[in-house]
Amino acid sequence: MNTHNLLHELEAIDSYRRYGKISRVVGLLIESKGPASSIGDVCLIHLKNSHALLKAEVVGFRDENVLLMPYAPAAHIAPGCLVEATGRPLSVRVSEELIGQVCDSMGNPMTGSRLSKGAVKVPTNQTPPDPLSRPPIIEPIELGVRSINGLLTVGKGQRIGIFAGSGVGKSTLMGMIAKNTSADLNVIALIGERGREVNEFIEKDLGEEGKKKSIVVVATSDQPALMRIKGAMTATAIAEYFRAQGKNVLLMMDSLTRVAMSQREIGLAIGEPPTTKGYPPSVFALLPQLLERTGADKKGTITAFYTVLVDGDDMDEPIADTARGILDGHIVLDRSLAEKGQYPAINLLKSVSRVMPQIVDPAHMQAAAKFRKLLAQYTDSEDLINIGAYKEGSSATIDAAIHYHPQILQFMAQHALERVTLKQSAEQLMIEFGEEAAENGI
């Protein structure tokens, strides 16, 4: 750095420290008189009878008072505590050393190890790439799951939602994808999970093989709402850092619904009106800001999977409906299929990959379309078939659907430890449902 630039940097430094005082604490919200700050800035609260500092973020203003949300439980806060402005939003330190680590919402390894001085600071809140600079999605990504590779092919830089109720197998599916993907590394965000489930996912579903090329960001359900949102933001910022290095990153977030619920807590606390089913407007502003940050840019790609919890398997609830409109496809896990013993319990007829026609060859696409037609025909006629009301020969398409149904079930089912490549999935699909299906009038 030359002398002129150094002087310019020194002149830009704000040498003043700005302070305010806490005047009120209501629930999740801390209200202080000052300091001068902006939305998203981090402030430091000087706790009384302690030398500790509590980080909090500016989330709004009421009259001339500053509204803050803490990053940690708000214990030992008293009226008159000093609030110091940093003038900066939250940033996290990122480097290759994070790979294989489990981090908290602030990007700090939970093992207690420290990153070297070469780590780069990146802001957690970043703007999405310019839409005109985004390259088209033209190349599929390997995921290791036959039904997704063959029938819902995902491209590098695509964003997919996994819609499921509780206990339908989404964590196991995420673990399979993380272990088998061809991406350079995985960034996995566990947002709002029960503490017990975190280690269970890492040890059982992810395993040693998956952990070696993964960065796991954890924000458990007992943490403040702001920390849960920051967990999602930090994971996305880490993925963006590696995308800027030219890597193909796989980002998985479980779950987007809990991120939205955290924002609902904050929005209601600062006085936003509840609108759609109790969600304030800021929730529906946050979702596109978060989801649009992933995808492809000129340097690399972030292929993203977001799980969405659907209460009572209601696919039209507000968060599911909003996410489905933003994402480039959705995979629906069906409880009724899980109860029948099908794993992964993917309801193909309710799932779609919007970029699949652009990234697979025509023969593959044709075989997938025939598979869907056979499955749809069998599903429509299943009640008649089960009660014996259908007579063989009445319909050539139903006859073919009955004939191929065992192969359909076999293709959709896969053991959690089994790995099926994209090439193997496409070849099996075209052999079993390509030319042979055409010969049977489908």
Side-chain angles (χ1 to χ4, degrees):
M1 183 180 288
N2 61 41
T3 307
H4 176 75
N5 289 339
L6 186 59
L7 289 171
H8 181 73
E9 290 287 332
L10 288 171
E11 287 173 2
I13 293 174
D14 188 353
S15 58
Y16 288 94
R17 287 191 176 186
R18 292 173 171 80
Y19 291 93
K21 279 189 176 182
I22 289 177
S23 58
R24 188 180 182 204
V25 178
V26 180
L28 304 173
L29 204 62
I30 300 169
E31 196 168 326
S32 73
K33 296 184 182 297
S37 53
S38 305
I39 293 285
D41 282 358
V42 175
C43 290
L44 304 175
I45 299 174
H46 295 252
L47 302 177
K48 284 196 173 180
N49 304 320
S50 170
H51 296 293
L53 296 173
L54 177 67
K55 286 185 177 180
E57 184 171 308
V58 179
V59 294
F61 303 96
R62 181 174 292 144
D63 299 325
E64 294 183 0
N65 290 346
V66 179
L67 304 181
L68 301 156
M69 283 269 185
Y71 288 140
H76 308 298
I77 292 180
C81 283
L82 287 179
V83 180
E84 180 183 348
T86 65
R88 297 185 303 272
L90 182 68
S91 61
V92 295
R93 299 176 72 228
V94 187
S95 76
E96 299 273 349
E97 297 171 64
L98 281 179
I99 300 174
Q101 298 267 20
V102 180
C103 307
D104 61 18
S105 296
M106 315 291 275
N108 302 313
M110 297 178 75
T111 56
S113 60
R114 293 192 174 185
L115 301 181
S116 66
K117 292 182 180 179
V120 177
K121 276 192 172 184
V122 295
T124 57
N125 291 338
Q126 299 189 50
T127 55
D130 180 355
L132 297 181
S133 70
R134 288 184 184 264
I137 299 171
I138 56 173
E139 187 180 352
I141 187 171
E142 174 66 69
L143 298 174
V145 182
R146 179 169 45 234
S147 51
I148 300 178
N149 279 342
L151 302 165
L152 299 163
T153 313
V154 176
K156 290 180 180 178
Q158 187 175 353
R159 302 158 306 155
I160 291 278
I162 300 176
F163 293 74
S166 57
V168 188
K170 59 183 180 302
S171 294
T172 310
L173 179 60
M174 285 174 59
M176 283 179 70
I177 293 171
K179 285 185 285 190
N180 299 325
T181 181
S182 61
D184 297 320
L185 78 152
N186 309 312
V187 179
I188 303 170
L190 302 178
I191 309 300
E193 288 282 355
R194 293 181 282 269
R196 174 189 62 81
E197 291 180 331
V198 171
N199 205 40
E200 190 176 294
F201 172 81
I202 294 168
E203 299 298 330
K204 180 184 171 186
D205 297 322
L206 190 58
E208 281 300 318
E209 184 185 351
K211 190 177 176 182
K212 284 178 185 176
K213 66 171 193 175
S214 300
I215 300 169
V216 182
V217 179
V218 175
T220 51
S221 58
D222 59 298
Q223 294 182 358
L226 193 60
M227 284 294 275
R228 282 175 263 146
I229 292 176
K230 287 302 169 186
M233 296 292 186
T234 294
T236 306
I238 291 171
E240 287 170 324
Y241 169 82
F242 286 104
R243 177 178 64 185
Q245 309 300 311
K247 295 185 183 295
N248 294 312
V249 184
L250 182 69
L251 171 67
M252 290 189 284
M253 190 176 294
D254 184 17
S255 74
L256 188 65
T257 306
R258 293 193 181 109
V259 175
M261 290 169 70
S262 301
Q263 181 60 38
R264 177 172 65 183
E265 287 183 42
I266 293 172
L268 294 176
I270 64 176
E272 278 192 82
T275 51
T276 310
K277 291 194 175 179
Y279 287 98
S282 62
V283 172
F284 303 101
L286 173 70
L287 291 179
Q289 289 171 7
L290 178 63
L291 300 181
E292 286 292 340
R293 287 170 61 181
T294 56
D297 67 7
K298 291 180 179 178
K299 295 179 180 178
T301 65
I302 301 175
T303 307
F305 284 84
Y306 300 93
T307 68
V308 180
L309 295 169
V310 283
D311 295 329
D313 298 322
D314 177 14
M315 292 297 296
D316 295 321
E317 63 96 25
I319 302 305
D321 198 42
T322 302
R324 196 165 52 240
I326 299 168
L327 298 171
D328 306 317
H330 51 273
I331 296 170
V332 177
L333 302 185
D334 196 316
R335 190 177 303 278
S336 64
L337 295 177
E339 290 168 351
K340 292 176 183 177
Q342 177 182 314
Y343 181 80
I346 296 174
N347 188 325
L348 178 66
L349 300 179
K350 292 183 179 179
S351 305
V352 66
S353 171
R354 292 178 182 168
V355 304
M356 183 177 175
Q358 287 82 51
I359 59 175
V360 301
D361 59 59
H364 182 172
M365 195 68 207
Q366 187 179 20
K370 289 173 182 176
F371 187 105
R372 281 180 178 272
K373 188 174 180 180
L374 286 165
L375 180 58
Q377 186 64 67
Y378 187 90
T379 303
D380 289 344
S381 311
E382 189 170 14
D383 290 340
L384 290 175
I385 295 166
N386 289 340
I387 65 174
Y390 174 73
K391 291 184 179 180
E392 187 178 351
S394 300
S395 168
T397 55
I398 297 177
D399 288 343
I402 295 170
H403 174 75
Y404 280 101
H405 194 61
Q407 290 170 255
I408 288 173
L409 293 180
Q410 187 178 7
F411 189 90
M412 293 292 290
Q414 184 175 337
H415 192 273
L417 300 177
E418 184 183 359
R419 183 178 189 270
V420 184
T421 66
L422 183 62
K423 184 179 179 182
Q424 290 169 339
S425 305
E427 286 177 351
Q428 183 180 345
L429 184 68
M430 288 186 283
I431 289 170
E432 295 183 4
F433 301 96
E435 295 178 2
E436 287 185 28
E439 290 170 5
N440 284 277
I442 303 302

